[in-house]
Amino acid sequence: MNSIHLHTLSNGITVVHRQVLHTEISHLGIMLDIGSRDELAGEEGLAHFWEHLAFKGTQKKSNMQIINRLEIYGGELNAYTTKEKICFHASILSPYFERALELLTDITFDSIFPEKELEKERSVILEEMSMYYDAPEEAIQDDFDELLFPNHPLGVNILGTTETVQSFQKKDLEAFIERNLDTSRIVFSSIGKLDPTKVFSWAEKHLGSIKAKKQIVKRVAPSAMIPQTKVIKRGITQSHVALGRQSFAIENPNRLAFFLLVNLLGGPGMNSLLNVSVRERHGLVYSIEASLTSFLDSGYWAIYFGTEPNQVNKSLKLIQKEFAKLQEKELTAPQLKKIKSQLKGQLAMAEEGNLNFMLMMAKNLLDREKIESLDEIFDQIDLIDSAHIQSLAVEMLNPDTLSYLIFEP
C-alpha cells in the first residue's frame, strides 16, 4: 500500500493516487457522497437523472465535444449512480490524463443541463426503465429493495418512477445539487504509472479552483423490516425469486464474518453451497447467487434465482436445508480454512482490476476515511472462527425472519 498517496485540496476535496508502473492506462474518477437516498419525496430518480444530464453540455463544451474528448484517443468516459454515491470516471492512455481530469471536472461541476437535451435524455431514461422491467432477473432485485426498506429512500428504485422522471426540470437538478454538494464529501481517485506529484499538481489546477462548499446532510436510518411475502404475476414463462433481510452496515463488526458466510452460501464460486445443491445436484436453476450489500447505516443480504413455477417450493426447501446445516453444526477447521482461502483469492483477484481498485479507493475514503490493504483484510479474515459463523447463521438465516418476493407467470 506504499504506492497509495493522499492529498487534500484547500476546498476539502480529497485526492488519492495509486502509482502502478506496469500499465500504460490511467483510470480516474470523481466520486461524490450523494446518491438516490438523498432524494426528497417527488425527486425519486433525480440523482440518476443528473448522472445522465451531466454529459449533455457544459459552459465550455457541447454534447458532441464531451463525447469525442477522450474517445478520439481510444479512451472511455462513464458514470454510475448508487443509493449513496454518484461517480464520473474515465480510462485513458496516461499521456492524456490531464485531458481526462479536465473533462471530469467540467461535467461534474459545470454542467448546464440544456433544455433540449433534458427532453431527449428523459426519453432515454424511460426506455431504460422499460428495458429493466422487461428483464425480470434485473427488475426483481430493484423491487425487492422496496420489501426490505419500505417507506424509505433505500427502498426506492434508483431510476425513479415514470411520473417523477416525466416531471423533472432544470431547476430540480440545480436545487438537488445545491442542497447536497459538499466538497469535503468528494474524492478524486486515480491509478496509473504517473508520479503522484504530477497528479496532485493537476488536481490543484483543475479541482482546486472549485469553490469550497459545506452542507449538513442528514441521512435517516431505515426502520426495522417486517418480514413479508409478495407474489406478483407477470408476463413471463419462468418464476423469479428473491429472499433475504436487512443486514449489517459498513462498519458493523459482524459484516466481514457475515460476508464470509454469504460467500460460502452463494458467492461467485461454482462450489458455493446453493449452486452445488440447487443446480448441480437437482438441476432446478441455471444460476443462483447470494449477495451482501452494506450502506453507512444499514444493509441487506439476498438470494436470487429463477426456476420453473412448479419447482419454486422445492428450491426454497433445498435452500432452507442448507440454512439448517449451517445453524446446527459449526464448520470444521478444514472447512473454515477452505472458505477463508477462497474468499482471500477472490478479493486478491478483484484487486488486480485497476478500474475497480480506483473506484474502491474512492468509496472507502468516503465511507470509512481509510483504505485497508489486502494484508489487513486477510488478518481480519483469519480472526473469524466457526462459532461466529454459526451464531450469524442462527441470527440471519432464520426463514421466518426473511422477506420473499416472487415473480410468477
Side-chain angles (χ1 to χ4, degrees):
M1 298 296 281
N2 292 334
S3 61
I4 295 178
H5 305 268
L6 284 166
H7 178 62
T8 302
L9 304 179
S10 59
N11 55 17
I13 295 175
T14 298
V15 181
V16 58
H17 177 68
R18 184 187 191 192
Q19 189 174 27
V20 178
L21 298 176
H22 60 266
T23 179
E24 297 300 318
I25 304 299
S26 287
H27 302 281
L28 53 161
I30 297 175
M31 187 176 291
L32 305 94
D33 195 28
I34 304 171
S36 63
R37 73 173 299 178
D38 300 307
E39 297 160 349
L40 303 177
E43 291 182 340
E44 294 85 355
L46 192 53
H48 176 256
F49 203 73
W50 171 18
E51 173 213 316
H52 276 244
L53 265 294
F55 293 86
K56 301 307 175 182
T58 70
Q59 296 286 353
K60 302 174 184 177
K61 302 177 188 67
S62 67
N63 178 22
M64 293 308 299
Q65 287 174 323
I66 291 171
I67 289 174
N68 288 307
R69 187 86 176 145
L70 302 183
E71 298 252 346
I72 59 173
Y73 298 106
E76 296 179 355
L77 179 65
N78 215 328
Y80 64 86
T81 305
T82 69
K83 297 291 174 77
E84 295 185 330
K85 303 288 183 284
I86 294 175
C87 183
F88 302 99
H89 61 94
S91 300
I92 192 73
L93 286 166
S94 292
Y96 304 105
F97 183 101
E98 186 183 9
R99 187 183 186 94
L101 172 55
E102 186 276 332
L103 178 60
L104 289 174
T105 303
D106 202 21
I107 63 175
T108 304
F109 300 101
D110 212 14
S111 291
I112 57 175
F113 313 124
E115 292 289 351
K116 64 177 182 178
E117 296 293 342
L118 189 147
E119 293 305 321
K120 284 193 290 187
E121 209 58 27
R122 191 194 312 279
S123 297
V124 169
I125 292 173
L126 290 172
E127 286 297 322
E128 183 181 1
M129 294 169 71
S130 297
M131 180 182 71
Y132 272 88
Y133 182 82
D134 289 340
E137 66 278 6
E138 300 281 353
I140 194 169
Q141 298 185 41
D142 289 326
D143 288 3
F144 192 51
D145 289 352
E146 190 174 349
L147 278 189
L148 297 174
F149 303 102
N151 303 311
H152 190 275
L154 287 176
V156 176
N157 192 320
I158 290 170
L159 299 180
T161 68
T162 301
E163 292 73 24
T164 56
V165 171
Q166 288 176 334
S167 73
F168 294 149
Q169 302 299 322
K170 178 177 179 176
K171 62 180 176 60
D172 300 315
L173 289 162
E174 293 171 340
F176 180 76
I177 295 170
E178 174 64 25
R179 191 179 74 240
N180 288 287
L181 188 66
D182 181 339
T183 49
S184 69
R185 295 165 55 225
I186 297 173
V187 171
F188 170 62
S189 177
S190 65
I191 188 168
K193 70 176 186 179
L194 295 172
D195 187 275
T197 57
K198 183 174 288 189
V199 172
F200 293 159
S201 176
W202 283 332
E204 289 281 2
K205 176 181 176 181
H206 296 286
L207 290 166
S209 60
I210 302 302
K211 184 179 179 181
K213 195 170 186 298
K214 186 69 178 175
Q215 292 284 10
I216 299 175
V217 178
K218 293 184 178 180
R219 287 171 166 167
V220 179
S223 302
M225 178 196 85
I226 299 175
Q228 58 179 307
T229 298
K230 187 175 182 180
V231 179
I232 298 177
K233 300 285 188 178
R234 294 188 57 160
I236 51 179
T237 57
Q238 187 185 46
S239 290
H240 293 263
V241 182
L243 61 143
R245 57 167 286 177
Q246 289 183 13
S247 183
F248 304 112
I250 290 169
E251 293 285 14
N252 190 293
N254 287 311
R255 187 183 68 88
L256 186 58
F258 189 55
F259 181 50
L260 182 63
L261 175 58
V262 171
N263 198 61
L264 167 63
L265 261 178
M270 292 182 66
N271 64 341
S272 72
L273 297 179
L274 295 182
N275 190 69
V276 170
S277 174
V278 186
R279 173 178 169 149
E280 298 299 331
R281 289 182 183 153
H282 294 88
L284 300 181
V285 301
Y286 174 72
S287 66
I288 182 167
E289 62 182 44
S291 62
L292 173 65
T293 301
S294 294
F295 304 114
L296 288 173
D297 52 11
S298 186
Y300 70 92
W301 78 271
I303 293 171
Y304 303 102
F305 67 91
T307 189
E308 295 300 312
N310 62 351
Q311 302 286 15
V312 169
N313 288 337
K314 184 176 181 181
S315 299
L316 289 173
K317 287 180 180 178
L318 289 172
I319 292 170
Q320 292 171 5
K321 186 176 180 180
E322 296 302 322
F323 290 174
K325 291 178 184 177
L326 292 167
Q327 291 169 331
E328 293 166 2
K329 187 177 180 181
E330 288 186 11
L331 296 173
T332 64
Q335 287 174 322
L336 184 62
K337 182 178 179 180
K338 176 183 174 183
I339 66 171
K340 286 181 178 181
S341 296
Q342 183 170 22
L343 180 58
K344 289 178 182 178
Q346 291 170 352
L347 293 174
M349 290 182 67
E351 189 172 301
E352 285 293 300
N354 284 340
L355 173 58
N356 288 336
F357 195 91
M358 180 275 291
L359 298 172
M360 179 277 291
M361 289 194 299
K363 186 175 186 301
N364 280 6
L365 286 172
L366 287 172
D367 288 345
R368 310 184 68 194
E369 299 183 349
K370 63 181 178 180
I371 301 170
E372 290 182 316
S373 69
L374 269 180
D375 286 340
E376 289 174 314
I377 297 172
F378 289 177
D379 288 343
Q380 294 171 41
I381 292 173
D382 286 337
L383 293 175
I384 299 169
D385 59 32
S386 294
H388 194 182
I389 296 289
Q390 185 185 29
S391 68
L392 289 172
V394 171
E395 177 186 358
M396 303 300 292
L397 305 186
N398 181 348
D400 294 334
T401 68
L402 307 182
S403 284
Y404 299 80
L405 177 61
I406 301 172
F407 288 173
E408 64 179 30

